[in-house]
Amino acid sequence: MDSSEVKAETFELVLHKGFNLIRGIHDPDEVDQICNLEIRDTDVFVVTYPKSGTIWMQQILLLLEVKGDLTVFKHNSNAELLPWIEVQDHRVKYITAPSPRLRVTHLLHQFMPFALSQKKGKVIYVARNPKDALVSYYHFHKVANMLETPKDFDDFFEKFLRGDVYGGSWFEHIKTWYSHKNDMNILFITYEEMIKDLKSAVEKVSLFLGKELTDEQLASVVKHSTFNNMKKIPQASYEQVSSDLLNHNQGTFMRKGTIGDWKNYFTLSQCERFDMIFHREMKDFPLSFTWDSSAVA
Ligand code: PPS
């Protein structure tokens, strides 16, 4: 959701083909052309609903590329090396970029290159407990100048449930991506898995991408992608993003990096309502999640 080249202007959500884009960050005509991009076998897209572990997976992929050697990309930010495909001008740059082309996106499957559904390239879908994604997104709306500052938590809670945010409905996002799993080379992984056992998660991603790293190199990838270490790396933590886009006085991208923070925000009735909607929307969804989503602290 970042581009260092985007100028500050009046940002607002614009509904485009059933999906909210951000005026000033996304150009609907360009987004419509993403589906025609040719895909190379080495292309990888990290797909997330916002605040689900995008920049974390960005760091892991970049480190896997350089076999854990952090010094290789110290001159570029992760946002430059592994940008959002939907941000203005990035589609054009993608066409001529050298391989491997690694990109992130929050877009729905319907906007993505058709070739992905012919098993070209690879997709890594990172999912997070939507309750924690909601809380993280609430805070990020205060930091990000391109997103409307929420009136209060209750108001944002309702907006999130309505899908009235960039990324739309969490439920639609994961369900539509999952419904295409047999057409694509796709790995589903959760933020919670990464929190509980980062080493196994990194190994899973490495195997999926066909990387061959020594144990020592893998250990280095893990080391440089822990929350505390990433926070100290300005290129990875988004500290360097222009203040036109992020109001650094209001908070950071790397906020808490924990699971279950929603328990500090949801009231009992919000929790019950969320659970009811979750069960209604996800009752036929075949993936089982490991998160504890019911107890209110
Ligand atoms: S965005 O704006 O959609 O790209 O944001 P995204 O990167 O998807 O999500 C930001 C949340 O991910 C947390 N994060 C991490 N958690 C644990 N370990 C690591 N290394 C890590 N890196 C990023 C970040 O702190 C945000 O979550 P919250 O709950 O707000 O802390």
Side-chain angles (χ1 to χ4, degrees), residues 1 48-56 84 106 128 132 136 140 191 195 225-227 230 253-258 261:
M1 206 185 292
T48 57
Y49 185 84
K51 313 322 285 181
S52 299
T54 324
I55 70 163
W56 194 2
W84 272 258
H106 296 312
R128 185 181 191 185
D132 280 333
S136 178
F140 191 64
Y191 180 96
I195 285 278
S225 40
T226 62
F227 183 82
M230 251 181 85
F253 243 90
M254 308 283 299
R255 190 184 61 93
K256 267 195 173 174
T258 56
D261 194 29

Side-chain angles (χ1 to χ4, degrees), residues 39 43-47 85 94 103 112-113 116 122-124:
I39 295 292
D43 291 351
V44 182
F45 285 93
V46 173
V47 180
I85 191 73
Y94 181 81
R103 297 293 183 271
M112 294 302 284
L116 288 176
K122 290 187 174 166
V123 175
I124 300 174

Side-chain angles (χ1 to χ4, degrees), residues 262-273:
W262 65 269
K263 293 175 191 171
N264 298 317
Y265 291 85
F266 282 39
T267 62
L268 183 57
S269 75
Q270 283 172 332
C271 182
E272 285 171 353
R273 210 165 124 238

